[in-house]
Amino acid sequence: MSSRRMKTIAGSLVAASFSAVVILSGTAGADDRDTGSSKGGKVIDEAPAGVELTTLLPEKISVDNSSGTTDITATVKNEGTKESGKIQLLVVGFDGLTVKNVEGCSAIDKSNLPEGSNSGFACALDNLPAGESKSYAVDATYDLKKAGKICLPVQSGDGKKTYWQQGPVPFGTTNPSPDAPATPLLLGTDNKPVAPGADELPKTGLGRDALPLGAAGAALIAVGAAGLWWSQPRRPRRAQEG
């Protein structure tokens, strides 16, 4: 076989191998993509014609058992046919889940947080084109001795209307693992804290299990009927626009 023919065959094999790598890499990337979930979401106020706003949260997060820290991605989407105009996404924590920071967003003053919440950030968007989405990196902590919930309302730019609200929806586990480096939590699952230690009283009778029916939980129950954000006399101030 001539050296020229051997070079041609070798070149063809290299090209074929390269093509296979590109195809396999592209397929793996598509399969690994986490599109998130809108579980616990609902339309509240009617959005402008052609605008359809929703939010997404990861199906699974992981809490570091030593520090209690976790990372969450909050996404707002416009699934309509027209651009949204000015809107704002709120990221609010409840109970054991505390929102520490949301990249590019402004903290909501404690006096403007809804009843029962412990933290929140407002993310202003000048416009979200049709078919596009915007994701935010959320830094949070989770007290695994408690239940934890997160809420993502999408409001008009002035905060007078809430077009969509996801939650308050829980992250939790029915199988806590205190001895592991991290505890995986699933969206839409009520957290079952690890059994109490020797220095804790077991939860019996009208103890902590009754709290969701008290004052702190009233806002959560109201979500199922009249909603949470639009019933508040004070609304979170929108982040200063540039």
Side-chain angles (χ1 to χ4, degrees):
M1 184 179 293
S2 67
S3 59
R4 178 179 298 179
R5 181 174 176 78
M6 291 180 64
K7 290 180 180 179
T8 301
I9 293 174
S12 300
L13 291 174
V14 170
S17 300
F18 178 77
S19 298
V21 169
V22 171
I23 292 172
L24 291 175
S25 298
T27 303
D31 290 342
D32 291 342
R33 180 180 297 177
D34 182 8
T35 56
S37 172
S38 60
K39 183 180 295 184
K42 51 197 169 291
V43 173
I44 307 301
D45 296 320
E46 185 178 357
V51 178
E52 186 178 345
L53 298 167
T54 60
T55 55
L56 298 173
L57 285 166
E59 288 276 9
K60 180 179 178 179
I61 63 173
S62 182
V63 178
D64 186 290
N65 284 341
S66 60
S67 64
T69 58
T70 185
D71 298 322
I72 302 172
T73 300
T75 301
V76 56
K77 294 181 62 179
N78 181 3
E79 298 180 335
T81 58
K82 294 184 179 180
E83 58 185 23
S84 69
K86 291 184 178 181
I87 59 173
Q88 60 178 348
L89 170 70
L90 308 182
V91 183
V92 184
F94 290 82
D95 304 326
L97 194 156
T98 303
V99 180
K100 294 295 186 179
N101 186 57
V102 182
E103 186 177 6
C105 305
S106 299
I108 299 172
D109 188 87
K110 289 185 178 180
S111 63
N112 286 325
L113 290 172
E115 183 179 0
S117 65
N118 55 46
S119 54
F121 284 75
C123 308
L125 273 172
D126 286 336
N127 185 51
L128 188 60
E132 294 193 10
S133 63
K134 172 71 174 177
S135 294
Y136 296 89
V138 180
D139 295 328
T141 58
Y142 196 112
D143 183 350
L144 293 170
K145 295 178 181 178
K146 303 177 182 179
K149 299 179 179 70
I150 191 169
C151 188
L152 301 182
V154 182
Q155 298 184 334
S156 56
D158 58 11
K160 293 182 179 180
K161 290 187 176 182
T162 300
Y163 299 132
W164 170 268
Q165 179 171 304
Q166 184 175 9
V169 61
F171 273 107
T173 178
T174 57
N175 185 27
S177 51
D179 297 329
T183 297
L185 303 182
L186 299 178
L187 182 67
T189 302
D190 290 320
N191 192 45
K192 300 297 182 184
V194 66
D199 58 343
E200 295 183 54
L201 293 175
K203 296 190 290 182
T204 59
L206 295 177
R208 285 177 288 177
D209 285 335
L211 283 179
L213 300 180
L220 302 182
I221 296 174
V223 171
L228 174 65
W229 290 90
W230 53 97
S231 65
Q232 298 297 317
R234 292 173 296 184
R235 297 182 178 277
R237 290 190 292 274
R238 182 159 56 92
Q240 187 69 32
E241 296 178 11

